Amino acid sequence: MATPGDHADPLAAPITCLRGVGAERAQLLGRLGITRIGELLLHRPRRYEDRRKLVAIRELKAGEAATVRGKIIAAGGKNFRHGARRLFECVLDDGTAHLHLRWWRAQPWMENYFVRDREVLAFGKTGSLRPRTFEHPETEFIESGEDDFIHVNRIVPVHPLTEGITARVMRSLIWRALEHYAAALTEPEWGRRLAAQPPPDLSPPSVVALDQWPRARAIRQLHFPDELADAEAARQRLALDEFVALQLEILSRRKRFEARAGARPCAGTNRLIKPFLASLGFPLTPAQTRVLREIRNDMGGAHPMRRLLQGDVGSGKTVVAAATALMAVESGFNVALMAPTEILAAQHHHNFSRWFAPLGVPVALHTGANKTSARPAAAPSSHPAPPPTLYIGTHALVARGFVLSRLGLVVIDEQHKFGVAQREQLVRKGNYPHLLVMTATPIPRTLGLTLYGDLDLSLIDRPPAGRGAIKTFLRSSARRPQVWAFLRQQLRLGRQAYVVYPRVEDNADGLKAVTKEWKGLREQLAPFRIGLLHGRLKPEENERTMAGFRNRTLHVLLATSLIEVGVDVANASVMLIENAEAFGLSQLHQLRGRIGRGTETSYCILLSDAPDPTARERLQTLVETTDGFRIAEADLRLRGPGELLGQQQSGLPSFRFGSLADDLLLVQQARGLAAAVLATKD
Ligand code: ADP
Ligand code: MG
């Protein structure tokens, strides 16, 4: 706890406290998000230049980036043919050879700066060696002796800059700040707490050795590292601090939650689950049975369950959700199940009604389009309480007008389509019942610990046996005739197919749109019947189409990625995706998860003409593996967490030093540290 007197943090001082920063520079720095000393000190270099060993101009190799130091022996601008562009060039001599520095768009100030006899550092890459030339190099002048140990003869940082602040100015300011505020570079609160009360066992993994890397050293080495490896170690220490702060927040949220909320006893009696499981027509897999046991333990525990059920597409999470719902119902409580789309809510309503009707358990649908279902109004005391009910819906369940009473359990399906905030809204509305969160998007561990760090994890690691294989092909549009012939052949065999385009309407971006292709496709595939499904149709229309596809009066479903989540039709065994490059990898994996649900071999065909080799490599990942985790890791690396998580990124902080793609071990160390901190007494 801060005591009066020591709470004034010197690092929070405005940047103008630093010598050399007046109103004008402060404004420029503000553009970089730097208004306080502390922010300046955490301004992360975008790269480093090793100026201990400058390259002699004569030794420059074509295509290799290098820093040279030389004296200007000639400089000048030239006008071009049309007079529009102006070339500026100067020639450096370092005693070994000459180097031309060349800018194709000369700025007026250049003539005044690049003058004979000035000493220049230039960082660039030689394209041609005849003459040796750097085009658009980064440059820096060597000034007086005072700066020599900051700007040369060492590994120097190159920071993100803005117009009016040169690399040199930025480096000097940071150097100065490091000198004047050295005493303020202390350990964060959690570090001091751990130092005062070291936990008996702070077991590895530890990536960062805290005793060797106090925060002060890390901040110094971040900017002026002794070796490049020290810059990386410094980054790791600072990333660790970011991750610990986040884990502290996550773990204390969980702790507060447990302290406050008493659990409703919802372990059930087996009265309904037994007949339900008997009616399924298949036995639960060992993974499903194990997960249900974990859930039952939680549901009968002292604190409300907070559990994430993770299982790849088609692994059979819905049945687990149904059995969990029955535990709460057996115990006399209502249940709410929230799904991200109307289509999925309707599909769940369809399935759960079929399962629960024989058990006498009411199932109600409540979505934006379908608000007509019975509301659980507070019953007058003379009436008997209504029987425990399962309410299935979309985000409309959270709406204020909708009353949810005696809630024992909230289930969120396809959680990755919701934000953490939406999930918590429903939980709060239900007055903190048990919570089961389901997601099919395999989440890399770093993200899992970050986003779902306050949930316990159950894993369905294996799909039900007896599924047909899924074969995936990547084809260019030149092969479209063969692809369509193949599709017709599968339809003739009695299979059904999804055809997915990225757009609803044509907007001239070269991507195919369902509404545009719909008519042509209908003619092309006749006599087979095609249904059209996308987000701008009325939910009732979409539901009619889905029903038609389920009962096989429709053979092909032409859709957008709206069908990405949840849709379950076992007879559909072909997934054809046009402009596949327009989708994320995880999204394609989800779409592919719509097939392969029956015993037949299924086929996923990705059509793409993307010339970009990285785009093709991305798609190739999908051809090579059906392992959702591998795909998610690749997606995370290629597109970053925001893209991968869609909605959920709202719950994701942005890190200056940490990388969710690469820092799993750091996240784990942070979690261990945070737990140790919370175990110390205030
Ligand atoms: P997801 O995990 O993607 O939500 P679903 O719950 O939709 O997957 O299940 C996919 C299909 O697998 C469904 O048709 C479901 O009935 C079937 N299924 C679930 N569990 C089993 C099982 N133990 N044995 C055989 N089929 C199962
Ligand atoms: Mg599902």
Side-chain angles (χ1 to χ4, degrees):
M1 281 275 104
T3 53
D6 74 1
H7 64 267
D9 178 2
L11 298 182
I15 194 77
T16 44
C17 291
L18 201 63
R19 181 168 60 82
V21 182
E24 194 185 331
R25 269 200 182 152
Q27 200 221 330
L28 296 177
L29 289 167
R31 282 201 225 138
L32 294 166
I34 300 171
T35 59
R36 294 165 195 287
I37 301 288
E39 287 157 356
L40 179 67
L41 286 172
L42 293 181
H43 191 51
R44 181 178 171 186
R46 63 186 163 82
R47 63 181 181 84
Y48 299 88
E49 252 177 64
D50 191 344
R51 294 186 182 169
R52 292 171 304 185
K53 36 182 199 288
L54 299 176
V55 176
I57 291 177
R58 203 223 300 253
E59 308 294 325
L60 286 173
K61 292 194 186 66
E64 267 177 32
T67 309
V68 302
R69 174 179 182 160
K71 209 172 242 168
I72 298 177
I73 55 168
K78 288 180 201 153
N79 285 321
F80 272 106
R81 257 172 278 156
H82 304 299
R85 288 212 300 184
R86 214 172 128 68
L87 171 81
F88 185 86
E89 187 171 272
C90 70
V91 181
L92 288 192
D93 182 351
D94 72 348
T96 68
H98 291 178
L99 173 67
H100 293 246
L101 308 183
R102 196 175 272 170
W103 289 266
W104 289 97
R105 224 174 259 283
Q107 307 288 328
W109 53 264
M110 287 181 166
E111 313 243 353
N112 301 328
Y113 276 80
F114 293 93
V115 291
R116 278 182 69 105
D117 287 340
R118 281 194 93 173
E119 269 215 86
V120 179
L121 287 163
F123 172 79
K125 213 186 259 184
T126 28
S128 141
L129 291 175
R130 280 196 212 172
R132 295 180 177 86
T133 307
F134 279 179
E135 299 208 347
H136 301 274
E138 288 180 36
T139 56
E140 222 179 288
F141 293 105
I142 310 265
E143 308 275 357
S144 62
E146 184 251 342
D147 280 354
D148 262 11
F149 52 90
I150 305 182
H151 304 287
V152 287
N153 304 326
R154 64 155 59 245
I155 298 174
V156 297
V158 181
H159 295 90
L161 303 171
T162 184
E163 207 180 325
I165 304 262
T166 63
R168 207 185 158 76
V169 166
M170 180 65 82
R171 205 177 293 131
S172 301
L173 290 177
I174 289 176
W175 178 273
R176 213 168 286 158
L178 282 171
E179 294 217 309
H180 291 299
Y181 290 86
L185 300 179
T186 52
E187 289 303 294
E189 227 248 334
W190 63 264
R192 292 200 294 271
R193 253 166 90 171
L194 281 187
Q197 283 189 53
D201 169 33
L202 194 56
S203 45
S206 80
V207 188
V208 174
L210 286 170
D211 50 342
Q212 283 168 47
W213 282 96
R215 190 171 162 86
R217 175 174 183 218
I219 291 177
R220 244 178 263 120
Q221 290 286 318
L222 173 74
H223 298 291
F224 297 99
D226 295 333
E227 296 295 335
L228 283 174
D230 293 320
E232 169 58 11
R235 179 200 71 83
Q236 289 185 350
R237 163 66 215 245
L238 298 172
L240 182 74
D241 286 7
E242 290 177 332
F243 289 140
V244 171
L246 180 69
Q247 291 299 330
L248 277 172
E249 200 180 300
I250 291 170
L251 294 181
S252 38
R253 195 192 312 151
R254 167 96 193 212
K255 217 172 154 183
R256 275 200 306 277
F257 172 80
E258 289 192 342
R260 177 183 48 202
R264 271 143 253 179
C266 281
T269 60
N270 262 337
R271 179 174 65 84
L272 300 168
I273 293 183
K274 267 212 180 121
F276 164 67
L277 294 180
S279 75
L280 276 179
F282 51 75
L284 292 184
T285 62
Q288 286 169 323
T289 308
R290 169 172 44 77
V291 167
L292 270 178
R293 211 169 29 238
E294 290 163 356
I295 288 175
R296 188 188 292 280
N297 261 338
D298 285 3
M299 299 273 281
H303 305 297
M305 171 167 77
R306 307 268 293 171
R307 189 165 281 280
L308 171 66
L309 171 54
Q310 200 173 329
D312 213 341
V313 264
S315 61
K317 294 183 294 296
T318 317
V319 177
V320 172
T324 307
L326 289 177
M327 290 178 204
V329 168
E330 285 170 352
S331 308
F333 291 97
N334 293 316
V335 175
L337 188 163
M338 182 159 80
T341 63
E342 301 255 357
I343 293 174
L344 186 51
Q347 176 183 290
H348 279 326
H349 182 246
H350 175 87
N351 285 335
F352 281 81
S353 300
R354 192 162 46 87
W355 286 331
F356 286 8
L359 308 172
V361 177
V363 180
L365 181 65
H366 185 83
T367 64
N370 191 336
K371 295 188 173 124
T372 48
S373 311
R375 289 178 183 199
S381 51
S382 59
H383 289 236
T389 301
L390 168 62
Y391 297 92
I392 294 177
T394 54
H395 189 242
L397 288 172
V398 179
R400 203 166 318 136
F402 184 67
V403 184
L404 279 171
S405 58
R406 266 188 83 68
L407 208 57
L409 168 72
V410 160
V411 181
I412 313 260
D413 195 17
E414 309 286 353
Q415 154 73 42
H416 60 286
K417 289 281 162 183
F418 291 105
V420 173
Q422 288 172 308
R423 163 185 105 197
E424 291 308 311
Q425 275 172 358
L426 188 54
V427 168
R428 206 173 320 126
K429 178 170 179 172
N431 199 15
Y432 300 93
H434 297 283
L435 171 68
L436 181 66
V437 165
M438 306 200 290
T439 179
T441 300
I443 297 168
R445 287 273 292 147
T446 40
L447 288 183
L449 284 170
T450 306
L451 278 166
Y452 300 124
D454 62 334
L455 304 179
D456 298 314
L457 179 68
S458 284
L459 198 61
I460 301 186
D461 46 7
R462 209 165 270 181
R467 295 261 171 92
I470 302 184
K471 296 190 172 159
T472 305
F473 303 93
L474 178 56
R475 294 285 181 259
S476 67
S477 57
R479 299 283 294 276
R480 197 174 282 126
Q482 289 94 319
V483 167
W484 285 107
F486 174 76
L487 188 106
R488 296 178 65 95
Q489 178 217 330
Q490 290 294 307
L491 294 176
R492 275 195 297 272
L493 290 174
R495 310 282 132 72
Q496 288 167 282
Y498 300 96
V499 177
V500 175
Y501 294 162
R503 294 268 180 270
V504 176
E505 273 157 32
D506 191 33
N507 59 3
D509 57 3
L511 297 180
K512 294 215 169 193
V514 281
T515 48
K516 178 142 179 271
E517 309 289 329
W518 155 243
K519 221 174 133 236
L521 212 62
R522 215 161 46 164
E523 283 158 16
Q524 193 184 338
L525 288 177
F528 296 108
R529 279 185 305 275
I530 308 187
L532 176 65
L533 198 139
H534 60 76
R536 287 188 213 161
L537 293 173
K538 291 210 183 74
E540 308 89 84
E541 271 177 79
N542 279 338
E543 183 38 36
R544 254 200 314 279
T545 306
M546 268 319 297
F549 193 62
R550 259 197 305 267
N551 67 29
R552 305 192 192 183
T553 51
L554 295 174
H555 308 100
V556 176
L557 203 56
L558 175 59
T560 58
S561 62
L562 189 65
I563 59 159
E564 174 189 342
V565 287
V567 171
D568 180 42
V569 177
N571 187 53
S573 62
V574 180
M575 169 66 67
L576 173 59
I577 303 173
E578 288 261 16
N579 294 123
E581 73 283 354
F583 298 93
L585 275 191
S586 293
Q587 203 175 17
L588 290 169
H589 178 63
Q590 293 276 325
L591 282 169
R592 180 170 60 179
R594 298 309 119 218
I595 57 172
R597 291 170 171 249
T599 49
E600 310 290 344
T601 300
S602 290
Y603 302 91
C604 175
I605 303 153
L606 308 171
L607 279 171
S608 175
D609 285 332
D612 179 4
T614 56
R616 296 197 73 79
E617 189 188 323
R618 223 161 57 83
L619 295 175
Q620 197 60 36
T621 314
L622 221 66
V623 174
E624 280 157 21
T625 183
T626 53
D627 180 338
F629 278 94
R630 272 192 56 197
I631 291 167
E633 301 272 358
D635 213 11
L636 176 62
R637 198 144 284 132
L638 290 164
R639 308 208 311 163
E643 292 285 340
L644 174 59
L645 293 165
Q647 274 287 327
Q648 233 169 87
Q649 61 187 310
S650 52
L652 203 65
S654 61
F655 301 105
R656 199 189 290 248
F657 300 100
S659 154
L660 289 177
D662 302 314
D663 287 340
L664 173 60
L665 294 177
L666 273 178
V667 172
Q668 286 172 335
Q669 183 180 3
R671 193 162 173 90
L673 287 168
V677 170
L678 290 181
T680 63
K681 289 178 209 75
D682 294 282

